[in-house]
Amino acid sequence: MVDRANKPKTLSSTPSLPPQASVTFSEDNSRVTAELPTGESVEVLLYGATVLSWKDAAGDEKLWLSEAAKLDGSRAVRGGIPVVFPVFGTAPDHPQTKSLPQHGFARTSRWEFLGKSTSESMVGRAANELTVKLDFGLSSAAPGLDPTAAASWPFKFNLIYSVTLNRESLTTSIVATNDGAAPFDCQVLMHTYLRVKDITTVEITGLANAPYHDKVDAANPSKTQPASGPLTISAETDRVYTPVEDAVTVTEGGKPKFRVTRDNLSNVVVWNPWTEKAQGIADFAPKDGFRQMLCVEPGAVGAWQSVEGGDAFEGAQTITLLD
């Protein structure tokens, strides 16, 4: 065989794409799990579009979920990140939402999974990070809508809820669009249960000088957080803050643990049921679990958000790991 003088060199292999996130469904299609190639993961229950789990690369859980939480669609999930819409708590004096159950119907409806986006398909900064975004939808015409909602809140709406995971943070965002002609009022909140090791060693900063409504002290509900010193938890706490700063930092044992940043959400609810209240909550388990959890809940609940026909309300939180 004669050698060819201009024999072509061996073709180099086509560069492979970097590893991307994987998205899987549970066998019964009730949950969606996304995992980055580096090990970080998030799990979302379609019932309520509730984030059930968020783990770092080492597999350490960052959210608290009650051991007695109902995950079968029979009631709202106790723990994780439930979505509150269109009312926070109950509002018996508000004409549009007075008939709705506590915290509305978003957390008790089955959402539709709309798809995923990964860093491969994203632009800008996200394209250079390991990122996965899961989108969920709920509308006034959706088959999974809580049946009480249509009768109690007869507005045409469309909700898009996105859960974005990267190596150091988790972002949850919502867009609530009014698809009808009549304006509606709404409140939005991300009811985030953060997992801590010992609530007695936790300090919360970023609330200095913030006015707040104390839901535990009915006789003196209107207060202001002192300018100096962090907030600590040593009893039942249920407060609706209107912070001056955009971010709240949770420190445990003197070490920064979480930073919760808000986008177009003017309020932060800080909640821990403590001993007596936890005993009275049927799906709160273990009963001393309040020692391992802290709710820091960004929301727009201090006032009603009026959404005109064709307009939308948008809000988001980003929880960044600091330890």
Side-chain angles (χ1 to χ4, degrees):
M1 183 175 181
V2 178
D3 288 337
R4 294 168 54 191
N6 297 318
K7 183 178 179 180
K9 296 180 180 179
T10 303
L11 294 175
S12 60
S13 59
T14 303
S16 60
L17 293 172
Q20 293 295 318
S22 63
V23 176
T24 58
F25 288 82
S26 61
E27 290 187 4
D28 61 358
N29 289 322
S30 66
R31 308 183 192 190
V32 183
T33 300
E35 183 174 352
L36 298 179
T38 44
E40 296 84 358
S41 66
V42 64
E43 181 181 21
V44 183
L45 184 70
L46 291 181
Y47 182 75
T50 308
V51 179
L52 299 179
S53 172
W54 170 33
K55 296 179 179 178
D56 64 15
D60 293 330
E61 181 61 63
K62 303 304 176 183
L63 301 177
W64 185 87
L65 182 68
S66 170
E67 293 178 3
K70 302 298 183 183
L71 306 180
D72 59 359
S74 60
R75 62 176 300 168
V77 176
R78 174 71 62 186
I81 310 179
V83 182
V84 173
F85 178 92
V87 60
F88 172 63
T90 58
D93 297 327
H94 188 264
Q96 292 185 4
T97 59
K98 63 182 181 180
S99 299
L100 289 175
Q102 177 166 298
H103 294 337
F105 52 77
R107 66 179 190 153
T108 54
S109 297
R110 183 182 172 94
W111 293 59
E112 178 186 0
F113 177 60
L114 301 179
K116 69 169 183 176
S117 303
T118 64
S119 50
E120 179 184 358
S121 59
M122 293 179 178
V123 296
R125 179 184 174 188
N128 297 318
E129 298 179 346
L130 282 174
T131 302
V132 60
K133 180 166 75 77
L134 307 176
D135 292 325
F136 304 87
L138 180 69
S139 74
S140 49
L145 183 65
D146 185 328
T148 64
S152 303
W153 204 68
F155 295 96
K156 293 183 178 181
F157 68 90
N158 184 59
L159 304 179
I160 302 295
Y161 183 63
S162 299
V163 177
T164 304
L165 171 71
N166 68 28
R167 296 206 62 188
E168 298 177 348
S169 68
L170 184 75
T171 297
T172 61
S173 62
I174 192 167
V175 179
T177 302
N178 185 344
D179 285 341
F184 63 67
D185 292 340
C186 68
Q187 295 175 325
V188 174
L189 180 122
M190 320 263 181
H191 201 317
T192 307
Y193 289 73
L194 298 174
R195 176 175 287 276
V196 298
K197 294 180 180 179
D198 182 358
I199 189 64
T200 64
T201 69
V202 169
E203 297 181 339
I204 306 162
T205 58
L207 299 173
N209 293 314
Y212 67 91
H213 178 80
D214 192 334
K215 299 175 72 175
V216 175
D217 188 357
N220 185 30
S222 298
K223 302 175 183 177
T224 300
Q225 185 69 19
S228 60
L231 171 66
T232 58
I233 309 296
S234 58
E236 180 186 353
T237 304
D238 193 355
R239 301 176 178 181
V240 182
Y241 282 89
T242 305
V244 177
E245 302 179 29
D246 291 332
V248 169
T249 299
V250 177
T251 299
E252 183 171 13
K255 298 180 180 180
K257 187 176 182 71
F258 301 105
R259 182 173 62 247
V260 182
T261 305
R262 308 180 316 283
D263 184 0
N264 201 38
L265 298 174
S266 57
N267 305 113
V268 171
V269 175
V270 178
W271 182 71
N272 184 290
W274 213 251
T275 308
E276 185 175 348
K277 187 68 173 288
Q279 290 293 326
I281 301 175
D283 60 350
F284 194 99
K287 291 305 180 184
D288 63 353
F290 67 88
R291 299 184 182 279
Q292 282 75 53
M293 56 77 61
L294 172 68
C295 282
V296 177
E297 314 165 28
V301 298
W304 292 98
Q305 310 302 312
S306 182
V307 184
E308 299 291 332
D311 287 344
F313 173 83
E314 301 182 33
Q317 70 163 346
T318 296
I319 311 168
T320 303
L321 301 179
L322 302 177
D323 59 354

